[in-house]
C-alpha cells in the first residue's frame, strides 16, 4: 500500500484525508509490522517516562524516609508533618488542567523539561528548611512544579498508542509509584547514614542527592523525547507514516462518534467526574500509605520514636542513623510486591478484556487487609499487621491499569488532555486528605497510634472498589465485531452500519479490549 509520508508541520490533522493533501511524500507501508512498531515506540516512550515518573515519586515521597529525623530536628508534630505532606496536592490539583493545555500547545519535550527543571530546584531547596512555614511553602511549590507530569505523560502516550496499548504502557510507567519506594528505601538508608557529614543532617543529604539529578534529566528528556509519531527517530519512515495514519484515523473516528473533543467536552463529561471520584478515594489511601508507612513501621516494631516517647524503643535500639536506615529498608519491602502486583493485574485485565472486576476485587481486598491491621496487631502482634500491610499495598496498587486505561476509550484531543488532568486533580485532593487525616488521627491518639487511620484508609479502598465495579462505561463492541489486528484497530465498524448505530456504541468499538467479557477472536 502506498500512501504519503508524514512531515512535521504545524497544520492540525483533523481527518485521515490530510495524509493525501498536506506535507507528505509517497511511501509504501504494506510491509509494516504493526506489532513491531508498537513495541519500538513503547520501548522509547515507556523508558523515558518511567524514569520521569520514578524521579517524580522520589522527589515527592522522599519526605516519608526523612520524616523521623526531620520531625526530631525541627520539632514537628504528627499533624504538622501530615499537613506538610498533604499540602503538596492543592497546588498539584489547581494547576493540572492549565499545565496540560499548555503541553498540548507547546509539546511534551519542551513543557515537561521546563517542569522538571523547576521541580528539581524546589526539591533541592527543601534541604535547607528551618521552619514549618518554609516546609509548607516548598511542599506547595513542589506540587505546582510536578502538576503536569502524569497527565502530560498520559496525553503524550495517547498520541502514539491506542487505548489497550496505553493501558499496559501507562501501568508500566506508574509502577514507579511503588518502585520509587523500593529504590528509595535503600537509597534513603544509605543517605541517612551521612548524618553529620559536612555539617548536614541525613535528611538534608537525602533532599540534595535526590533533587539535583532531576535537573539533569530535564535536558535528556528535551533531547530524546519524540514530539509526535512523525518525528519518532526509533521508527523507519514507513513505520512513522503507518503509526501517524492509525492514530489520525482513530481520532477522526472517535470525534465523529462522540463529539467530546473540546476542553469543555472533557470537563463536562460525567464519566470523567466518576473516575475522578474513584481516584480521589484511591489517592487518599495510596499517599496515606506512602507518606506514613515508615512511621507506622517504626511505631509498630520499635515503638513511638519521638522526643516525648524514647522509652518506646525496643531494648538495645537507639535513635540515630542506623535506626532510621532499618526503618527505610523495611518500608521498601512493602512496595516490592505492590509493583509486581500492579503489572500482573494490568496484563490479566488486558488479556481477559475486562476492567471492572480487575479494578474492584484487589482494591476491595486491600481495604479489608488494612482495616484488619489493628485487630491483627492486638491479637497476634505487629508482625501480622505488617503482612496485612504488604497485602494491602499490593492490592491497592492494582488499580492503575484498569482505571487509567478507561479515559482513552471515550476522550481524545483537548478533551483527553483536560479530562485526564481533571481526574488527576481530583486524585490530588485525595492526596491532601489522606496524609493530613492520618496525621490528625495520630495526634489525636495517645502516642502516634495508627489504628483509626488504617481503618479509615480501609474504608476508602472498599468504597473505591465498589465504584470501580459500578462504572457505566460506553457500550461494548459486540462479539461478532471483535478484532485484534493493530493495523485495523481504528476501523472496526461493520460495513453498512448506520450513523445512528455508530453513535449508540461510540468508542469501545475502536479499541482492542473492552471492560465487558466478549467472545475471543480467532
Amino acid at each position: 500500500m502506498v500512501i504519503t509520508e508524514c512531515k512535521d508541520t504545524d497544520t492540525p490533522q483533523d481527518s485521515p484525508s490530510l495524509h493525501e493533501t498536506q506535507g507528505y511524500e509517497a511511501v509504501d507501508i504494506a510491509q509494516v509490522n504493526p506489532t513491531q512498531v508498537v513495541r519500538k515506540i513503547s520501548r522509547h516512550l515507556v523508558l523515558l517516562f518511567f524514569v520521569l515518573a520514578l524521579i517524580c515519586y522520589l522527589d515527592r515521597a522522599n519526605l516519608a524516609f526523612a520524616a523521623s529525623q526531620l520531625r526530631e530536628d525541627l520539632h514537628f508534630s504528627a499533624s504538622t508533618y501530615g499537613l506538610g505532606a498533604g499540602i503538596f496536592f492543592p497546588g498539584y490539583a489547581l494547576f493540572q488542567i492549565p499545565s496540560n493545555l499548555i503541553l498540548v500547545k507547546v509539546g511534551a519535550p519542551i513543557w515537561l523539561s521546563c517542569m522538571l527543571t523547576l521541580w528539581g530546584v524546589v526539591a533541592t531547596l527543601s534541604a535547607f528548611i528551618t521552619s514549618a512555614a518554609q516546609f509548607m511553602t516548598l511542599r506547595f511549590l513542589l506540587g505546582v512544579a510536578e502538576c503536569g507530569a502524569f497527565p502530560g505523560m498520559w496525553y503524550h502516550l495517547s498520541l502514539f498508542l491506542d487505548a489497550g496499548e496505553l493501558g499496559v504502557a501507562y501501568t508500566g510507567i506508574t509502577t514507579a509509584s511503588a518502585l520509587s519506594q523500593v529504590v528509595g528505601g535503600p537509597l534513603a538508608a544509605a543517605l541517612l547514614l551521612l548524618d553529620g557529614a559536612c555539617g548536614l543532617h541525613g535528611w538534608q543529604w537525602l533532599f540534595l542527592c535526590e533533587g539535583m539529578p532531576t535537573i539533569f534529566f530535564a535536558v535528556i528528556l528535551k533531547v530524546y523525547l519524540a514530539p509526535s509519531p512523525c518525528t519518532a527517530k526509533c521508527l523507519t519512515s514507513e513505520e512513522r507514516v503507518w503509526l501517524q495514519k492509525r492514530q489520525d484515523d482513530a481520532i477522526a473516528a472517535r470525534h465523529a462518534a462522540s463529539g467530546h473533543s473540546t476542553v469543555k467536552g472533557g470537563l463536562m463529561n460525567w464519566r470523567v467526574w466518576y473516575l475522578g471520584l474513584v481516584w480521589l478515594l484511591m489517592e487518599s489511601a495510596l499517599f496515606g500509605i506512602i507518606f506514613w508507612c515508615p512511621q507506622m513501621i517504626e511505631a509498630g516494631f520499635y515503638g513511638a520514636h519521638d522526643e516525648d516517647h524514647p522509652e518506646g524503643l525496643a531494648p538495645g535500639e537507639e535513635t540515630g542513623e542506623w535506626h532510621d536506615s532499618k526503618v527505610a529498608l523495611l518500608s521498601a519491602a512493602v512496595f516490592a510486591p505492590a509493583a509486581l502486583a500492579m503489572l500482573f493485574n494490568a496484563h490479566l485485565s488486558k488479556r481477559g478484556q475486562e476492567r471492572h472486576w480487575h479494578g474492584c476485587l484487589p482494591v476491595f481486598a486491600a481495604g479489608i487487609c488494612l482495616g484488619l491491621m489493628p485487630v491483627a496487631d492486638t491479637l497476634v502482634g505487629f508482625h501480622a499487621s505488617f503482612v496485612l500491610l504488604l497485602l494491602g499495598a499490593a492490592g491497592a496498587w492494582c488499580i492503575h491499569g484498569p482505571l487509567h486505561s478507561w479515559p482513552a476509550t471515550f476522550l481524545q484531543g483537548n478533551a483527553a488532555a483536560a479530562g485526564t488532568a481533571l481526574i488527576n486533580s481530583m486524585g490530588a485532593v485525595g492526596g491532601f486528605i489522606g496524609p493530613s487525616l492520618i496525621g490528625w488521627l495520630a495526634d489525636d491518639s495517645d502516642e502516634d497510634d495508627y489504628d483509626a487511620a488504617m481503618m479509615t484508609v480501609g474504608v476508602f479502598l472498599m468504597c473505591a472498589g465498589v465504584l470501580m465495579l459500578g462504572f457505566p462505561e460506553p457500550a461494548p463492541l459486540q462479539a461478532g465485531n471483535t478484532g485484534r489486528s493493530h493495523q485495523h484497530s481504528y476501523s472496526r465498524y461493520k460495513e453498512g452500519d448506520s450513523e445512528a448505530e455508530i453513535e449508540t456504541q461510540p468508542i469501545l468499538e475502536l479499541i482492542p479490549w473492552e471492560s465487558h467479557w466478549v467472545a475471543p477472536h480467532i
Side-chain angles (χ1 to χ4, degrees):
M1 177 182 179
V2 177
I3 68 171
T4 51
E5 180 180 3
C6 61
K7 297 292 185 182
D8 188 25
T9 67
D10 295 329
T11 304
Q13 296 186 7
D14 295 324
S15 71
S17 63
L18 287 176
H19 287 93
E20 300 163 5
T21 58
Q22 294 181 354
Y24 291 85
E25 297 174 358
V27 295
D28 186 358
I29 63 169
Q31 303 304 315
V32 169
N33 184 333
T35 303
Q36 188 176 22
V37 175
V38 172
R39 185 179 296 119
K40 283 182 180 180
I41 206 67
S42 294
R43 280 200 300 262
H44 168 73
L45 293 175
V46 171
L47 177 60
L48 286 172
F49 283 164
F50 176 81
V51 176
L52 173 58
L54 186 65
I55 290 173
C56 183
Y57 269 94
L58 283 174
D59 284 340
R60 77 168 69 167
N62 55 13
L63 177 63
F65 298 113
S68 183
Q69 284 189 11
L70 184 145
R71 284 182 60 190
E72 184 176 356
D73 291 339
L74 301 182
H75 308 290
F76 288 169
S77 66
S79 56
T80 299
Y81 166 77
L83 181 60
I87 207 169
F88 169 96
F89 293 98
Y92 188 81
L94 287 172
F95 294 95
Q96 278 204 13
I97 294 174
S99 173
N100 227 32
L101 295 178
I102 294 173
L103 181 143
V104 172
K105 295 294 184 183
V106 305
I110 294 175
W111 188 241
L112 289 178
S113 60
C114 289
M115 289 175 51
L116 266 168
T117 303
L118 176 61
W119 97 47
V121 171
V122 174
T124 303
L125 288 176
S126 299
F128 304 104
I129 60 174
T130 58
S131 67
Q134 293 175 357
F135 177 50
M136 303 292 178
T137 301
L138 285 177
R139 289 295 297 177
F140 179 84
L141 291 176
L142 186 63
V144 173
E146 290 189 21
C147 67
F150 279 91
M153 286 188 283
W154 185 94
Y155 174 76
H156 198 63
L157 284 170
S158 72
L159 300 181
F160 295 80
L161 304 174
D162 67 25
E165 296 155 359
L166 190 150
V168 175
Y170 193 76
T171 301
I173 292 165
T174 53
T175 54
S177 64
L179 285 176
S180 65
Q181 305 301 98
V182 178
V183 174
L187 182 59
L191 292 173
L192 290 172
L193 291 175
L194 296 175
D195 191 42
C198 300
L200 297 176
H201 296 290
W203 62 268
Q204 292 177 299
W205 281 111
L206 181 58
F207 287 137
L208 281 172
C209 293
E210 292 187 0
M212 289 188 293
T214 305
I215 302 171
F216 174 72
F217 188 70
V219 179
I220 295 177
L221 198 67
K222 174 63 177 71
V223 172
Y224 290 103
L225 181 63
S228 68
C230 281
T231 58
K233 295 180 180 179
C234 60
L235 303 178
T236 65
S237 59
E238 292 80 8
E239 290 170 338
R240 288 195 291 269
V241 171
W242 177 87
L243 182 60
Q244 186 69 64
K245 183 181 189 308
R246 185 189 75 158
Q247 296 303 104
D248 287 350
D249 289 353
I251 290 171
R254 292 200 300 267
H255 177 76
S258 69
H260 291 301
S261 60
T262 65
V263 172
K264 182 179 179 181
L267 296 179
M268 299 302 292
N269 190 309
W270 64 269
R271 288 187 173 90
V272 169
W273 288 90
Y274 189 108
L275 292 179
L277 176 60
V278 176
W279 196 227
L280 184 152
L281 292 169
M282 288 304 307
E283 290 283 69
S284 296
L286 296 179
F287 280 105
I289 295 171
I290 286 174
F291 285 117
W292 285 98
C293 180
Q295 293 180 82
M296 286 190 291
I297 289 173
E298 182 180 36
F301 280 126
Y302 303 114
H305 179 195
D306 58 50
E307 60 186 4
D308 296 325
H309 300 94
E311 70 280 5
L313 296 173
E317 292 291 341
E318 298 180 357
T319 61
E321 60 270 16
W322 273 111
H323 171 84
D324 297 322
S325 296
K326 289 177 185 177
V327 171
L329 292 173
L330 284 171
S331 302
V334 171
F335 296 95
L340 295 175
M342 66 188 294
L343 281 175
F344 182 66
N345 190 60
H347 282 283
L348 283 181
S349 178
K350 183 173 186 288
R351 185 177 179 180
Q353 303 175 3
E354 201 279 331
R355 290 185 183 91
H356 286 111
W357 289 105
H358 285 85
C360 168
L361 290 180
V363 170
F364 195 87
I368 294 174
C369 288
L370 296 181
L372 289 176
M373 282 180 63
V375 179
D377 191 19
T378 301
L379 298 179
V380 182
F382 189 75
H383 290 83
S385 292
F386 184 71
V387 172
L388 289 176
L389 181 60
L390 286 171
L391 296 174
W397 259 261
C398 285
I399 190 73
H400 287 84
L403 187 143
H404 287 299
S405 61
W406 254 327
T409 68
F410 56 89
L411 297 172
Q412 70 283 327
N414 285 336
T420 307
L422 178 59
I423 292 171
N424 277 275
S425 295
M426 293 179 69
V429 175
F432 173 76
I433 292 172
S436 303
L437 181 61
I438 292 177
W440 179 78
L441 291 172
D443 262 355
D444 196 49
S445 63
D446 291 335
E447 50 175 61
D448 281 11
D449 189 325
Y450 300 101
D451 290 355
M454 285 299 96
M455 287 189 285
T456 303
V457 168
V459 171
F460 285 172
L461 288 174
M462 287 187 281
C463 291
V466 171
L467 288 174
M468 279 294 289
L469 185 62
F471 178 64
E473 65 181 358
L477 178 62
Q478 296 177 357
N481 268 349
T482 304
R484 291 183 180 273
S485 167
H486 289 291
Q487 193 164 2
H488 302 290
S489 61
Y490 50 82
S491 183
R492 296 241 182 106
Y493 297 117
K494 291 186 296 184
E495 186 175 353
D497 277 347
S498 68
E499 184 176 346
E501 288 172 329
I502 291 175
E503 290 178 354
T504 60
Q505 42 184 352
I507 299 303
L508 291 187
E509 300 183 28
L510 304 172
I511 64 172
W513 59 297
E514 294 81 35
S515 172
H516 300 278
W517 295 100
V518 296
H521 177 72
I522 302 177

